[in-house]
Amino acid sequence: MDFIPYRLSEQLVVNDIYTCFYFEMSNRQHYNGESHDFWELVYVDKGEVNADTQSGYYRLNQGNILIHSPNEYHQLESTGKKAPNLFIVTFRCDNEAMTFFDEHKLFRIGHAEHAVLARLMKESQSSFGLNLYPIIPKENTPFAAEQLFKIYLEQLLILIIRNGPSDKPQAPLLSTTTENQSTHLSKRIIDYIERNLSGKITSDDLSAQFSISKTQMNIQFKRTVGVGINAYVNRLKIERAKTYIREELYNLTEISDLLGYSSLHYFSRAFKNSVGMTPSEYARTIKARNESMS
């Protein structure tokens, strides 16, 4: 018997990217407007940002994706309130399916898209690091990292097109399976941590708060979030500190106090261990970046 192969169709293919980066803006940052002959995807990971485009004026909040068509003028600026963290990819895709984004621009992603986006961002870091332009592949990358990046970007765009534009709120995660129960517990723990970030948060406190053993709590949290509770608290404090610095609402001593550090020295050491520079150096870097954009 002769087998006849079936060639799988591809309705959306991305082969070229121009830039890919994760960018932390201050709450006063302003970009000069631009247009280019390729697509641009902007995802707001944290905070909020305004986008002035040829197709309209948009306020983007955490969880929003905005897609600029080729040759569409666009300009980004901070709102003056919440300092934004943005993930931006510019790429070429000539398939007809992309005409969907000529009409529909702004999207609120759901759980499925967010999971793909997280993998896309991870492969971006594995493949290209922090390179902005030109794209320079990293050495000793994991096997097929660029291919996975391409697959995840295509998957994200396909999911957005499939779901279409909708103003309906996303359905919450179900909590009927063990995995979703872990997710629910982890979300409650994260909410508690965020509300009490200025104090000292211990595993004993959390264990008593959620009536679960420390061992089981840490197992479920790490399985869902990817890091242990102590590592998550430390990372969240540093991310909050970076936001405070970019918003310029507090000095470094006040930030140290707000985040529950015992001293400015300890805060500076923890910040440098995580970011690779002291809080003062980070503030100067943000200031210099703002001045270069003005």
Side-chain angles (χ1 to χ4, degrees):
M1 178 178 179
D2 293 330
F3 290 94
I4 301 173
Y6 175 77
R7 175 63 60 89
L8 297 171
S9 65
E10 295 182 288
Q11 294 174 286
L12 193 154
V13 178
V14 175
N15 286 318
D16 301 317
I17 66 169
Y18 295 87
T19 59
C20 177
F21 55 96
Y22 189 91
F23 194 52
E24 299 171 339
M25 297 173 65
S26 78
N27 66 328
R28 301 182 183 181
Q29 201 154 335
H30 176 89
Y31 278 109
N32 293 326
E34 64 175 2
S35 62
H36 39 67
D37 63 351
F38 41 83
W39 296 92
E40 179 170 329
L41 180 149
V42 179
Y43 169 65
V44 182
D45 191 32
K46 295 180 182 178
E48 58 187 23
V49 68
N50 292 328
D52 188 5
T53 79
Q54 208 169 308
S55 59
Y57 191 81
Y58 303 91
R59 166 66 63 87
L60 282 68
N61 297 298
Q62 183 179 23
N64 280 146
I65 282 181
L66 182 66
I67 297 185
H68 303 302
S69 300
N71 300 311
E72 177 186 10
Y73 174 85
H74 54 278
Q75 180 182 43
L76 287 176
E77 63 179 4
S78 300
T79 64
K81 296 179 181 179
K82 299 178 182 178
N85 289 11
L86 307 178
F87 178 64
I88 299 178
V89 184
T90 60
F91 59 96
R92 182 172 300 283
C93 182
D94 299 323
N95 299 103
E96 185 179 352
M98 291 297 292
T99 58
F100 173 85
F101 297 110
D102 288 331
E103 182 179 354
H104 308 294
K105 299 290 184 182
L106 183 63
F107 306 90
R108 177 85 183 168
I109 65 171
H111 297 300
E113 294 93 335
H114 187 270
V116 176
L117 189 58
R119 292 192 287 269
L120 175 65
M121 293 166 66
K122 179 181 178 182
E123 293 306 322
S124 166
Q125 180 66 25
S126 297
S127 301
F128 314 116
L130 299 177
N131 292 305
L132 303 183
Y133 183 81
I135 292 290
I136 303 174
K138 292 172 65 176
E139 296 182 358
N140 302 318
T141 59
F143 175 72
E146 289 186 23
Q147 186 174 355
L148 278 180
F149 175 89
K150 165 186 163 65
I151 290 170
Y152 293 144
L153 178 55
E154 291 171 347
Q155 185 181 4
L156 177 62
L157 294 169
I158 289 169
L159 286 174
I160 293 174
I161 293 173
R162 272 192 175 188
N163 293 334
S166 175
D167 296 328
K168 295 179 182 179
Q170 297 291 334
L173 288 173
L174 299 175
S175 57
T176 55
T177 65
T178 302
E179 192 64 32
N180 284 322
Q181 289 172 354
S182 297
T183 300
H184 181 64
L185 173 63
S186 297
K187 283 188 173 183
R188 291 173 61 207
I189 292 173
I190 288 171
D191 287 341
Y192 180 87
I193 291 171
E194 290 180 343
R195 291 195 308 269
N196 297 276
L197 201 58
S198 61
K200 182 170 178 161
I201 301 171
T202 67
S203 294
D204 288 332
D205 294 335
L206 292 172
S207 175
Q209 177 71 24
F210 296 101
S211 303
I212 186 174
S213 73
K214 288 191 295 183
T215 300
Q216 189 62 28
M217 178 181 64
N218 276 289
I219 289 173
Q220 291 193 34
F221 190 90
K222 189 168 185 178
R223 180 173 62 196
T224 305
V225 180
V227 296
I229 290 176
N230 289 337
Y232 182 86
V233 171
N234 292 335
R235 186 174 69 184
L236 185 61
K237 285 193 175 190
I238 297 302
E239 288 301 315
R240 188 69 58 82
K242 289 163 70 177
T243 299
Y244 285 149
I245 291 171
R246 299 201 308 276
E247 291 177 346
E248 299 181 350
L249 297 175
Y250 309 102
N251 61 39
L252 296 182
T253 300
E254 290 170 331
I255 292 173
S256 174
D257 292 340
L258 281 169
L259 295 175
Y261 288 98
S262 58
S263 68
L264 179 58
H265 172 75
Y266 182 71
F267 165 56
S268 296
R269 187 173 64 181
F271 192 97
K272 185 170 184 179
N273 286 340
S274 176
V275 181
M277 62 181 78
T278 65
S280 299
E281 290 168 340
Y282 179 78
R284 287 196 294 270
T285 299
I286 295 297
K287 183 178 180 179
R289 183 185 297 164
N290 290 345
E291 291 173 350
S292 69
M293 295 293 181
S294 61

